[in-house]
Amino acid sequence: MNLRLAMHIAIVLFDGFDNLDAIGPFEVFSHARTYGADLEVGLYTLSPQDIVRSSHDLRVEPDGVLPDSESETPPDLVVVPGGGWGDHAEEGAWAEAQRGDLPAAIERLHSGGAMVASVCTGGMLLATAGLTDGRPAVTHHGALDDLRESGADVIDARVVDDGDLVTAGGVTSGIDLALHLVDREFGPDIADRVSTEMEYEARGEVHAG
Amino acid sequence: MNLRLAMHIAIVLFDGFDNLDAIGPFEVFSHARTYGADLEVGLYTLSPQDIVRSSHDLRVEPDGVLPDSESETPPDLVVVPGGGWGDHAEEGAWAEAQRGDLPAAIERLHSGGAMVASVCTGGMLLATAGLTDGRPAVTHHGALDDLRESGADVIDARVVDDGDLVTAGGVTSGIDLALHLVDREFGPDIADRVSTEMEYEARGEVHAG
């Protein structure tokens, strides 16, 4: 009897997210599932929302909401995209950091046992949640100074794996982050099949913290 | 007085499309616009649809419908994604080729003056429309035999530029296709800024037909 449950992956959406920060990993995990990775992946918001608007006005219907209390089981992996940090956009990662609700939820999910990953300036939401303090991490090149000032140990790599905290650089780095996590959690055969299917070549350093 | 209008780019969505085939180019063109490229990009369906479902159940709200008669001005560029070809999925590029309405619309838009581009097995929809007959083209590696049998001159390259017909390989090749078109239409400075912003390195050959 196999008691292992499918790995539940929640990609967080918020108004002003960057399209590819979220959809790149979603694509990788979706293909990995096709190739036998025992996972479920969906797009989740903090509060119920019919449609989430990206910074480029891509409108996506989310799959549900994140657990909103400590009594609910968190996802195994929470992936946080960025968007709208550098220009302090009214909607996006900067706005979410100012508001504070999403960083608080990320911190709660992490405390509850979720592994947390970020793409691009999603890393700044992890930093705002205090998760990267004194830990190796990376973010979009335009936000590296902000990440450093927040107290993280900034690493010059495309993906930084510190176990329960995995961060990536800008936008397309999220594809490499997801491929790395598929490799780590489900093995290189599935990761290689996904790369081949997507005609993608992983590049850049994966730094293991 | 500058009479040049913004380049109108229509990315075609249909149920069963592959997420990244469509969203990769959408991301590139959106960033290019931010950096000054005089373009408009949107996601369009053949018939009115509230929500379009990707092959991986990403649900997207489209921006509108493609022109449905020869009396309407076609977009300057139509980008056709793939998805669901290899497994003959009930929804996707294979199903659209069987149905025939979308290939017919693509042919009509092309005849009306639109440049047509494809990502992944979107190339097979162009082939079904007769556009690739005797012309250099590429598609996802899993559909190369089908493309060859259709009468196209299959080229081993990541992007094949034959002027008003530009095709790309699988999934992430669409990012390279869009960067190539941004370079071609708006110059290398904007294309370079987009690559840098997305932390992407264009790779593979762009074959000019």
Side-chain angles (χ1 to χ4, degrees), chain A residues 18 27 59 61 170 199, chain B residues 18 27 59 61 170 199 203:
Chain A
D18 179 276
E27 174 93 359
R59 297 177 303 283
E61 187 180 276
E199 299 192 7
Chain B
D18 180 276
E27 174 94 1
R59 296 177 303 282
E61 187 179 277
E199 298 192 8
R203 70 170 184 83

Side-chain angles (χ1 to χ4, degrees), chain A residues 69-182:
Chain A
S69 78
E70 285 168 19
S71 61
E72 291 180 73
T73 306
D76 298 292
L77 169 63
V78 176
V79 180
V80 184
W85 182 269
D87 57 355
H88 294 192
E90 281 180 33
E91 293 186 328
W94 172 266
E96 295 298 334
Q98 304 307 304
R99 192 175 296 124
D101 297 338
L102 182 55
I106 293 167
E107 197 283 323
R108 179 168 44 71
L109 294 168
H110 184 253
S111 295
M115 171 164 53
V116 174
S118 64
V119 179
C120 201
T121 53
M124 293 311 302
L125 290 170
L126 275 48
T128 306
L131 298 189
T132 55
D133 288 357
R135 296 186 67 173
V138 70
T139 184
H140 186 271
H141 63 272
L144 288 173
D145 286 345
D146 291 342
L147 182 61
R148 197 173 288 110
E149 282 166 25
S150 79
D153 175 18
V154 171
I155 305 288
D156 179 20
R158 191 153 167 91
V159 177
V160 177
D161 181 346
D162 197 31
D164 63 343
L165 184 75
V166 187
T167 51
V171 193
T172 57
S173 311
I175 298 173
D176 296 87
L177 174 133
L179 285 170
H180 168 68
L181 289 172
V182 167

